[in-house]
Amino acid sequence: MPTTESGKPAIVLFRYDLRLADNRALHAASESGKPVIPVFVWDEQTSPHARPLGGARKWWLHHSLNALSATMKARGATLVLKRGKTEAIVDGLIDETGADLVLWNRRYDPQGVEVDTGLKAELARRNVMAESFEGHLLHEPYALRTASGGYYRVYTPFWRALAGQPEPRDPVAAPIGLKSWHGEIASETLDDWNLLPKHPDWSKGFTDWTPGEEAAHQRLADFLDGAIGHYSRERDRPDIEATSRLSPHLVHGEITPVQIWHALKAPKLRDHGADVAKFRREMAWREFCYHLLFHNPALHTENFNASFNAFHWNDRQDHFDAWKQGKTGYPIVDAGMRQLWQTGWMHNRVRMIVASFLIKHLLIDWRKGEEWFWDTLVDADPANNAAGWQWVAGTGADAAPYFRIFNPILQGEKFDPKGDYVRTFVPELAALPGKYLNQPWTAPQRVLDDAGIMLGETYPHPIVDHRSARRRALGAYAETR
DNA sequence: AGGGTATTCAT
DNA sequence: TGAATACCC
């Protein structure tokens, strides 16, 4: 559009796409030559099914909005904050500013789609232009279809289909000069939103993280300079820095998978083809989960495989509490749960172990675990979290077979061979020799004494016995088949 | 992206 | 007798 066409402003809606680069809506607004009004809309009200943001993500959102706001300010623009129903907010802004164009990046969670579909209809009714753009996936969900027109329910064919797609679009640069709207617009303030945790101690351990677009790209650069070199071999090792840790940046849209995909083509990675390929496959899991969510709005509340609906879950609160607090008596499980609470994040391998433990050893409903993760993970993702839990539970798409029950002792020994991870997050076991580290209850009394451990006092006895819990789970699952 | 156990195989 | 293998859960 020519820059002279209209002095009327364009509204750019920000949701969880807190970035300037590869932001197609912002880019198009800027290209239009119109003055731009950037608005972050926090809408948990339009859709009755909207899921309120968890605590850890609220912490992240607070800091990420601060970062985005500052970057915008440096470019002469002001980020407006609004909370409430999207349509009402946009209507109000149009009335206030005379805006005749609204732009946003598409979302793929069903509640987001619902809100944006409603908005589009409202704008059409008002005769205001609306434009939506490809959002935070490599490919639009409707672009990948099985031969029979359905969506993929199995990962491997999904991966083949994705790998057979044309390269994802090129990322777009951050707009060079943002022509901002200079009228006064009432904005809410971050302080009003009370995003930071009420228990201030909680987020004290979130020191590994720097929310915001700049930090996201720094994280990617660090990963490509370092850990990706041994990604394929070490990605399952929670004691080693071998993963990208990009997930919280991705879920807040500070960086896009498209940017990452293209960054993986850097010449310096030429000798790491296997690692890059492995990482791309993990990116494809994220994509796969979003496809599942797109087609299954209740992915976090309903068994994907309905034959599990009759399954009888255990509701022992004391077991659930022990799990949440990292006091199950199984060191690798407890280390994971404490890493989660202390840092807002947990290594993926350990997520599978603790989830398997909750579901199979304790027979507690996967939804309860999913909710806890939703509240405590800085990367809590509507698609990955729900699909991941269902995968472990055996209720999900392409799920782990029901009889696959992780042995927390063997998993600890295999993936934390030196015990560094357990010793970091379960310090009361730090002096225990590796031989007993994942099964302290088998250590001779003298060894426990030497390590300063009193089972039942300084570290709990196992809350369930592995062998009998395993048998119980197999029996319970067999009944539902 | 597993575990447990019986059986076979290789010293 | 311990390491691979097979096979079921």
Side-chain angles (χ1 to χ4, degrees), chain A residues 51 61 98 111 199 201 269 289 320 366 372 396:
Chain A
R51 188 173 196 189
L61 178 61
Q111 293 76 36
H199 303 286
D201 284 353
L269 296 176
C289 294
F320 187 48
W366 62 266
W372 181 248

Side-chain angles (χ1 to χ4, degrees), chain A residues 179-351:
Chain A
K179 184 173 161 193
S180 71
W181 170 254
H182 288 301
E184 278 291 311
I185 301 171
S187 171
E188 298 170 34
T189 70
L190 271 185
D191 289 340
D192 290 342
W193 285 1
N194 288 315
L195 290 165
L196 296 176
K198 298 203 175 29
H199 303 286
D201 284 353
W202 179 24
S203 55
K204 268 187 187 156
F206 292 11
T207 46
D208 276 357
W209 303 110
T210 310
E213 181 173 13
E214 186 185 347
H217 286 275
Q218 188 60 53
R219 183 72 77 173
L220 174 62
D222 290 348
F223 177 56
L224 298 188
D225 279 340
I228 197 164
H230 50 261
Y231 182 77
S232 191
R233 194 176 73 248
E234 314 278 41
R235 57 176 292 276
D236 274 324
R237 290 280 297 273
D239 57 329
I240 291 175
E241 183 81 26
T243 63
S244 75
R245 294 188 181 240
L246 283 166
S247 53
H249 297 290
L250 272 168
V251 79
H252 292 91
E254 297 166 356
I255 193 168
T256 67
V258 172
Q259 291 173 310
I260 299 170
W261 188 273
H262 286 286
L264 290 169
K265 295 190 295 191
K268 67 178 174 187
L269 296 176
R270 219 175 307 151
D271 297 334
H272 293 289
D275 295 305
V276 168
K278 192 79 183 165
F279 188 68
R280 287 195 201 278
R281 285 190 72 119
E282 294 307 313
M283 294 178 69
W285 268 104
R286 173 182 180 277
E287 203 87 353
F288 180 59
C289 294
Y290 264 97
H291 281 234
L292 293 174
L293 177 65
F294 186 77
H295 295 283
N296 296 276
L299 194 65
H300 74 289
T301 52
E302 285 175 21
N303 292 313
F304 180 83
N305 177 350
S307 66
F308 278 85
N309 289 352
F311 194 87
H312 186 70
W313 299 103
N314 193 332
D315 55 8
R316 275 191 65 163
Q317 187 64 35
D318 58 334
H319 279 180
F320 187 48
D321 288 341
W323 180 79
K324 285 193 288 189
Q325 294 164 13
K327 294 180 179 172
T328 67
Y330 285 90
I332 189 71
V333 174
D334 294 341
M337 297 308 293
R338 296 185 200 183
Q339 180 183 37
L340 172 60
W341 183 251
Q342 286 169 32
T343 71
W345 185 85
M346 195 195 306
H347 187 279
N348 180 252
R349 162 59 53 175
V350 190
R351 293 188 197 198

Side-chain angles (χ1 to χ4, degrees), chain A residues 9 14 36 56 93 133 148 191 213 233 290 307 322 345 354 380 401 407:
Chain A
F14 283 78
V36 174
L93 286 170
F133 298 85
S148 56
D191 289 340
E213 181 173 13
R233 194 176 73 248
Y290 264 97
S307 66
W345 185 85
V354 303
N407 178 329

Side-chain angles (χ1 to χ4, degrees), chain A residues 5 20 24 32 57 76 86 111 130 153 161 232 241 255 274 276 351 375 410 462 481:
Chain A
E5 185 185 285
L20 298 187
R24 301 234 305 151
S32 77
R57 277 197 57 184
T86 301
Q111 293 76 36
R153 292 166 162 80
S232 191
E241 183 81 26
I255 193 168
V276 168
R351 293 188 197 198
D375 199 32
L410 296 183
R481 284 208 304 171

